[in-house]
Amino acid sequence: MNSHNPSEEPDHTPQSPPRIPIPRTSIEDTGLPLPTPPLILEHRVLKALLGAWALAACSPEETTAVEDHLGDCGACADEALRLREAVGLLHPPETLDLDPALRTRVLQACLTRRPPRIPVPSWATPYDAETARLDALLQDIGDAEWHAPVRLRWFDGKEPISRRTTVAGVIAHLLTVDGLVAVTLGLEDPLETRTGTPTPDPTPSARTEAFWGAAHVPPTRSVRGPWREQSHNLVRTVAFAGGGSGRLPVPYGDFELPLRDSMLDRAFETWVHAGDIADAVDYPYEPPSPRHLHAMIDLGARMLPSALAARRQAGLAAPGETPHLVPAGTPGRSLRLEIEGLGGGEWLIPLDSPGALASPDREVAHVALDGVEFCQLAAGHVSPEEAAAGQSGDREAIRDVLFAAASLSRM
């Protein structure tokens, strides 16, 4: 009997086919970006690229190569640091303060593309611009600066006068005097709203004192809102009323102005008091645009004959060529007022009567002033004796006109 060994039996189990690995996919076939091989550059080339690297003018590959090199080469790292510091000196940091003329440029660009449906009359645009500039100044000042001391200055006809208040007090003053225009246009009187009754004396100074006196505490920054809203309402109302509204009389107590001149007067005072506020809070403030400044100077020049006549009647100016005023429409002595610089021009000022005709044939004196300086004189911020005027001709006439210009100022 033969023994049986299972291990010696032939294996009849079917064999599985051998496994063949799938070929690897190349990155070129995937559509993905190929990896960029590092840029290998010689030391002399890397050193030559340091200037371009400091100016951020290298390609991404060059930037990587240079920055890798700076980690290994101390000499190039020191040179790169010096170059970066030099580039910083070539590009000093710019101020964050906006250009005061930016708003005007933006508005002009907008209006050239699409005119407004209801345009603001040209005689109201200086007020619109100056209130906007002042509002931008007020936006920038802090809470404490609203109580910074401000001294209002003017000329009462004989000597300089001043009144101490605060930044908030100045805005309350502007709000109250602008209220004279608001009442003329049928808008709410801010003084009546504050006190409950209108003041019997409609002069700007009396209205201001009444507004200040009605408060239990001095004005605060809360006065900005009513002033801002009123200025917007004035501009909006004259725009809807049209150019014909410019003839409406605005009473100032002892005199009156047509609305078109009153809006220029308010623009002038807004600029002057904005300058007072800017000085108090150490803020840079520029004069109005030349076109608006010219309109303000023109208003002052047109008011000079009446101011001169009033001073003569009060005994504060020398009598004219004749004991009585020259009849209206008659040529009389004249002074040539030459304004240089911003808003410049020339005006012939009749000396003998507000109604007299200014005649170049009867010119007896010539005065030359800078535009901003003339406005400072008319605002009472420069005394007639200190006005740096170029003068020739009749000294007495020149003195009377300079004092008449200063007497245009008021609180």
Side-chain angles (χ1 to χ4, degrees), residues 284-346:
Y285 209 76
E286 297 296 325
S289 68
R291 180 166 55 92
H292 293 167
L293 187 62
H294 178 84
M296 297 176 192
I297 295 172
D298 178 70
L299 174 63
R302 288 187 284 112
M303 295 176 68
L304 277 176
S306 296
L308 183 58
R311 287 182 56 82
R312 186 173 291 128
Q313 291 173 354
L316 299 176
E321 191 177 53
T322 60
H324 303 288
L325 295 179
V326 173
T330 303
R333 296 181 309 147
S334 303
L335 177 142
R336 183 175 298 277
L337 175 64
E338 181 182 356
I339 301 300
E340 302 170 339
L342 294 176
E346 287 190 357

Side-chain angles (χ1 to χ4, degrees), residues 156-241:
D156 73 342
K158 297 180 181 179
E159 59 184 358
I161 302 293
S162 65
R163 176 73 155 80
R164 184 183 175 90
T165 184
T166 63
V167 170
V170 174
I171 301 303
H173 166 61
L174 290 174
L175 169 69
T176 308
V177 184
D178 286 355
L180 292 170
V181 181
V183 172
T184 298
L185 293 172
L187 301 176
E188 187 179 72
D189 184 356
L191 180 60
E192 186 173 352
T193 302
R194 184 66 172 265
T195 63
T197 57
T199 176
D201 186 352
T203 61
S205 58
R207 286 175 58 86
T208 301
E209 295 289 355
F211 190 94
W212 287 344
H216 298 293
V217 295
T220 64
R221 69 174 305 152
S222 62
V223 76
R224 180 191 173 203
W227 168 80
R228 190 172 188 265
E229 181 180 4
Q230 178 177 260
S231 65
H232 289 176
N233 288 338
L234 291 179
V235 174
R236 186 183 304 112
T237 302
V238 298
F240 277 101

